[in-house]
């Protein structure tokens, strides 16, 4: 009889004593967590599947998200539209080149110290292992020349100013190749190289893309 009473008292203390409310709350919290986690997992899995389907559809379609069109095939370079000598004289270029170019083009000098970073370039080649590079808005090819003469496997520059292209330093290099310079005015549309590159280098370029 004592043993039964002891068990009964123990049970009463456990079930209806001071521990009953905390245990009930803890059990409710655990159950809620398990149920919520289950549905969260299912929703996350569904979301991941939707993202994968969207990415797959985007990769196989020319229409990307947010209305941006992903270009397909080989790019066609569109050189700048030349202007007359009279119109060119009305554009105040000060020390900058761009004769015969529209006002948004040009902007290059024989040497611009603000666009030359040999310490950074050396780090890119020697420490980061850069082997290929696209110089966007290369001007007369000052920065491009550095990369060409420092052993990169592939270097290409694209420039919108016809005046800059005709005064380029690149044809004077022993490593010169005909396809090293592309004349393209980005205000006329997009352009991209025929191959991927390790780095795209661009300094003071966007302000020369006309609207």
């Amino acid at each position: 009889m004592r043993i039964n009473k002891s068990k009964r008292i123990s049970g009463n203390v456990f079930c209806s004593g001071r521990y009953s409310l905390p245990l009930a709350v803890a059990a409710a919290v655990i159950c809620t967590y398990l149920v919520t986690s289950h549905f969260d997992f299912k929703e996350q899995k569904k979301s991941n599947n939707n993202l994968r389907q969207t990415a797959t559809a985007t990769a196989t379609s020319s229409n990307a998200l947010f209305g941006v069109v992903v270009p397909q095939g080989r790019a066609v370079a569109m050189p700048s539209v030349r202007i007359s000598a009279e119109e060119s004289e009305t554009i105040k270029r000060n020390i900058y080149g761009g004769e015969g170019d529209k006002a948004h083009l040009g902007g290059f000098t024989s040497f611009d110290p603000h666009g030359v970073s040999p310490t950074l370039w050396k780090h890119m080649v020697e420490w980061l292992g850069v082997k290929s590079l696209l110089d966007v808005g290369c001007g007369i090819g000052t920065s491009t020349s550095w990369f060409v003469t420092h052993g990169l496997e592939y270097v290409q520059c694209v420039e919108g100013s016809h005046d800059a292209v005709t005064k380029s330093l690149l044809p004077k290099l022993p490593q010169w190749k005909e396809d090293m310079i592309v004349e393209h005015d980005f205000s006329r549309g997009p352009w991209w190289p025929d191959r991927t590159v390790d780095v795209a280098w661009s300094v003071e370029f966007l302000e020369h893309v006309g609207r």
Side-chain angles (χ1 to χ4, degrees):
M1 293 296 294
R2 290 183 194 174
I3 294 175
N4 292 339
K5 184 177 181 181
S6 174
K7 286 184 177 180
R8 186 173 61 253
I9 293 173
S10 248
N12 289 340
V13 171
F14 183 78
C15 296
S16 60
R18 59 179 180 176
Y19 298 108
S20 58
L21 182 59
L23 288 171
V25 172
V29 170
I30 292 172
C31 290
T32 303
Y33 172 77
L34 292 175
V35 172
T36 304
S37 298
H38 173 71
F39 284 105
D40 285 347
F41 175 76
K42 291 182 67 177
E43 288 298 321
Q44 184 63 43
K45 186 176 181 181
K46 182 180 179 181
S47 177
N48 290 341
N49 289 335
N50 290 338
L51 288 174
R52 277 193 292 270
Q53 291 173 2
T54 301
T56 302
T58 301
T60 56
S61 173
S62 61
N63 294 323
L65 296 175
F66 312 114
V68 178
V69 177
V70 177
Q72 302 291 318
R74 187 172 187 178
V76 178
M78 293 177 282
S80 61
V81 177
R82 307 292 287 156
I83 60 176
S84 65
E86 292 76 15
E87 185 179 354
S88 184
E89 289 179 358
T90 64
I91 302 173
K92 296 181 179 180
R93 301 188 188 274
N94 298 319
I95 64 172
Y96 299 104
E99 183 180 356
D101 293 321
K102 289 188 174 183
H104 67 279
L105 296 170
F108 64 91
T109 60
S110 58
F111 181 77
D112 182 3
H114 297 292
V116 178
S117 307
T119 302
L120 174 59
W121 296 341
K122 185 176 181 181
H123 180 81
M124 291 165 58
V125 174
E126 295 183 0
W127 290 95
L128 300 182
V130 171
K131 298 295 184 183
S132 58
L133 177 136
L134 176 68
D135 193 348
V136 182
C138 58
I140 61 174
T142 303
S143 54
T144 312
S145 299
W146 190 96
F147 288 106
V148 170
T149 57
H150 282 76
L152 270 71
E153 298 172 356
Y154 175 87
V155 180
Q156 188 173 44
C157 77
V158 54
E159 171 59 40
S161 168
H162 181 75
D163 189 30
V165 171
T166 58
K167 296 175 180 177
S168 178
L169 303 172
L170 297 177
K172 302 175 183 178
L173 300 176
Q175 301 91 341
W176 162 250
K177 296 178 182 179
E178 289 291 338
D179 61 350
M180 196 171 284
I181 302 176
V182 175
E183 183 179 344
H184 175 77
D185 182 0
F186 280 92
S187 68
R188 300 187 61 191
W191 178 88
W192 57 94
D194 292 338
R195 51 159 288 174
T196 57
V197 293
D198 294 336
V199 171
W201 175 265
S202 184
V203 176
E204 299 181 3
F205 160 72
L206 288 178
E207 67 268 28
H208 299 290
V209 179
R211 291 173 173 78

